[in-house]
Amino acid sequence: MQVTFSAYYTLILAVLVLLLGKFLVNRIRFLRNYNIPEPVAGGLVVAALIYILHLTMGWSFKFESSLQSAFMLVFFSSIGLSANFAKLKQGGTGLIVFLLVIAVFILVQNTVGISLATMLGLDPMIGLIAGSITLIGGHGTAGAWGSVMENQYGLTGATTLGMACATFGLVIGGILGGPLAKRLVTKHKLAKARSEAEQLTEGGPAVSEYSDVANFESPNKTPRLITADAAIETLALFAGCLAFAEFMTGVTKDTVIQLPTFVWALGGGVVIRNVLDYIFGFKVFDRAIDVFGNAALSIYLAIALLSLKLWELTDLAAPLMVILAVQTLIMALYATFVTFRIMGKNYDAAVLAAGHCGFGMGATPTAVANMQAITNQYGPSHKAFLIVPLVGAFFIDIVNAFLIQAFIKFIQ
């Protein structure tokens, strides 16, 4: 028996999932320690209940997909609207180098995933899902590309698979980053080197080229209030992104530059943001964009997790764990021998390696938590706390979206 929920009831259930997730995260230390998002915590519990109902009663549930798509587009628009290229200047050459290091890692991660999936007799698309779609992209990107693969490429259970991989990545990314960076600090005696550098600055924290700019480690501006006028202004920006996405999707359909609608929404946000900044001198309200974007992501994930069909993963469990185990090993090796070395083989580089493990397998909050675990013990790293959030929050999503599209075209 199939139970169908209208848009109204789908939204109500999504909110209930978020409230359940908030309750679980507040009460369960494991969920807090590994930065498991509230919609994921609540959604997986509800998905498990739906799975039990399906096995015992034969019930299945259908939720309004158009609502999910709308919130997904708002979320990706928020990433684009946050991409102020002036921030590249703040990060300096270190940010550009780190972005290139991560871009190369995306190529490695996807090549490993596709190769292992092929060796295990699976659809290469599954390897891509167990690559940068979920591990770099996280739950939001997993749901978006999962929907594309189900609807355009006929890959059954792609969204369910994506959510499982993204959740695995969040946990492993949180476990891996801290110990790896501590080993680098200890092995290369970076704590001692950092202490000597502080003595050269008369006991103060080591001065770097990044210390004069406002950064995520120590923001120094008074927050602007989110008023009704600011909310309407921000909604207008989102409307522009959605209009751009719909227009470009129609124009590029069946052409060589055809992209999923959410990629155009992200691209539209980048265009609108930087045109307003550089041509019109209009100051975009970043915090309002974050609020709308995060709210949209939470509701989108809640609906996506409500729609999971866990029974579709039964035959993929064993080969999927093989792929994810190898991806974990590759992440550790790359962070140790590539990220750490290219970023300077110093204390900042070790903290950056911890951050890379965080969003290379999970998400930016995991990356920040990894870095905090190191800096709480050995001292601050202004460079890392500027670069990692800038790259992880939006720049890497732009790069990832286009590289994923290139891989899809390659394996088709």
Side-chain angles (χ1 to χ4, degrees), residues 361-396:
M361 293 294 291
T364 303
T366 306
V368 173
N370 284 353
M371 295 191 300
Q372 286 174 339
I374 301 301
T375 57
N376 286 343
Q377 182 173 354
Y378 298 109
S381 171
H382 303 294
K383 179 177 180 178
F385 272 90
L386 174 67
I387 289 177
V388 168
L390 283 174
V391 172
F394 42 80
F395 287 122
I396 199 59

Side-chain angles (χ1 to χ4, degrees), residues 276-307:
L276 290 175
D277 278 345
Y278 294 110
I279 296 179
F280 296 100
F282 179 82
K283 298 299 181 183
V284 175
F285 191 1
D286 285 309
R287 198 160 62 87
I289 290 170
D290 289 342
V291 168
F292 281 96
N294 289 333
L297 175 62
S298 294
I299 297 173
Y300 158 64
L301 285 177
I303 298 174
L305 288 159
L306 279 171
S307 304

Side-chain angles (χ1 to χ4, degrees), residues 212-345:
D212 292 331
V213 296
N215 56 56
F216 290 85
E217 189 181 18
S218 55
N220 57 10
K221 291 186 178 180
T222 303
R224 175 182 167 191
L225 295 177
I226 300 177
T227 61
D229 287 342
I232 293 172
E233 174 187 292
T234 304
L235 286 173
L237 296 177
F238 281 113
C241 294
L242 300 185
F244 177 86
E246 184 176 4
F247 174 77
M248 292 303 298
T249 299
V251 168
T252 60
K253 186 177 182 181
D254 299 325
T255 68
V256 293
I257 59 171
Q258 179 177 339
L259 295 169
T261 304
F262 72 88
V263 178
W264 286 120
L266 188 156
V270 173
V271 172
I272 290 173
R273 170 61 187 263
N274 289 280
V275 166
L276 290 175
D277 278 345
Y278 294 110
I279 296 179
F280 296 100
F282 179 82
K283 298 299 181 183
V284 175
F285 191 1
D286 285 309
R287 198 160 62 87
I289 290 170
D290 289 342
V291 168
F292 281 96
N294 289 333
L297 175 62
S298 294
I299 297 173
Y300 158 64
L301 285 177
I303 298 174
L305 288 159
L306 279 171
S307 304
L308 290 187
K309 298 175 182 177
L310 294 178
W311 51 90
E312 295 175 347
L313 285 180
T314 305
D315 297 332
L316 292 174
L320 185 61
M321 289 309 299
V322 171
I323 295 174
L324 292 175
V326 174
Q327 291 284 30
T328 302
L329 177 62
I330 294 297
M331 176 74 262
L333 293 174
Y334 192 93
T336 301
F337 295 105
V338 179
T339 306
F340 175 66
R341 292 175 182 272
I342 290 181
M343 296 311 298
K345 294 181 66 175

Side-chain angles (χ1 to χ4, degrees), residues 44-397:
L44 289 176
V45 171
V46 175
L49 292 175
I50 291 174
Y51 179 50
I52 293 172
L53 289 174
H54 177 78
L55 290 181
T56 58
M57 308 291 292
W59 291 3
S60 61
F61 300 87
K62 182 177 180 181
F63 300 93
E64 181 57 52
S65 59
S66 62
L67 196 63
Q68 179 182 344
S69 299
F71 283 111
M72 176 185 69
L73 292 178
V74 171
F75 164 62
F76 280 98
S77 296
S78 73
I79 295 175
L81 288 170
S82 298
N84 178 2
F85 288 126
K87 293 179 181 178
L88 281 170
K89 184 177 179 181
Q90 291 182 4
T93 56
L95 187 146
I96 296 173
V97 172
F98 190 66
L99 183 58
L100 290 174
V101 168
I102 305 304
V104 173
F105 179 70
I106 292 175
L107 298 177
V108 173
Q109 200 171 60
N110 286 336
T111 300
V112 169
I114 292 169
S115 300
L116 286 173
T118 303
M119 290 171 57
L120 294 168
L122 303 176
D123 190 322
M125 287 286 193
I126 293 177
L128 194 56
I129 292 173
S132 73
I133 286 179
T134 60
L135 302 181
I136 286 282
H139 289 85
T141 305
W145 282 106
S147 177
V148 170
M149 290 186 173
E150 287 178 350
N151 298 329
Q152 295 186 17
Y153 302 101
L155 185 60
T156 302
T159 301
T160 305
L161 180 65
M163 292 298 170
C165 291
T167 302
F168 173 90
L170 271 178
V171 175
I172 294 300
I175 294 174
L176 182 63
L180 183 145
K182 288 180 180 179
R183 180 179 177 276
L184 291 173
V185 170
T186 303
K187 179 180 179 181
H188 297 279
K189 299 180 174 60
L190 300 177
K192 180 181 179 182
R194 184 185 176 282
S195 178
E196 291 172 350
E198 286 182 350
Q199 291 176 14
L200 293 176
T201 58
E202 298 181 354
V207 177
S208 77
E209 60 184 304
Y210 303 91
S211 60
D212 292 331
V213 296
N215 56 56
F216 290 85
E217 189 181 18
S218 55
N220 57 10
K221 291 186 178 180
T222 303
R224 175 182 167 191
L225 295 177
I226 300 177
T227 61
D229 287 342
I232 293 172
E233 174 187 292
T234 304
L235 286 173
L237 296 177
F238 281 113
C241 294
L242 300 185
F244 177 86
E246 184 176 4
F247 174 77
M248 292 303 298
T249 299
V251 168
T252 60
K253 186 177 182 181
D254 299 325
T255 68
V256 293
I257 59 171
Q258 179 177 339
L259 295 169
T261 304
F262 72 88
V263 178
W264 286 120
L266 188 156
V270 173
V271 172
I272 290 173
R273 170 61 187 263
N274 289 280
V275 166
L276 290 175
D277 278 345
Y278 294 110
I279 296 179
F280 296 100
F282 179 82
K283 298 299 181 183
V284 175
F285 191 1
D286 285 309
R287 198 160 62 87
I289 290 170
D290 289 342
V291 168
F292 281 96
N294 289 333
L297 175 62
S298 294
I299 297 173
Y300 158 64
L301 285 177
I303 298 174
L305 288 159
L306 279 171
S307 304
L308 290 187
K309 298 175 182 177
L310 294 178
W311 51 90
E312 295 175 347
L313 285 180
T314 305
D315 297 332
L316 292 174
L320 185 61
M321 289 309 299
V322 171
I323 295 174
L324 292 175
V326 174
Q327 291 284 30
T328 302
L329 177 62
I330 294 297
M331 176 74 262
L333 293 174
Y334 192 93
T336 301
F337 295 105
V338 179
T339 306
F340 175 66
R341 292 175 182 272
I342 290 181
M343 296 311 298
K345 294 181 66 175
N346 52 23
Y347 177 70
D348 287 329
V351 181
L352 283 168
H356 184 189
C357 290
F359 72 77
M361 293 294 291
T364 303
T366 306
V368 173
N370 284 353
M371 295 191 300
Q372 286 174 339
I374 301 301
T375 57
N376 286 343
Q377 182 173 354
Y378 298 109
S381 171
H382 303 294
K383 179 177 180 178
F385 272 90
L386 174 67
I387 289 177
V388 168
L390 283 174
V391 172
F394 42 80
F395 287 122
I396 199 59
D397 286 303

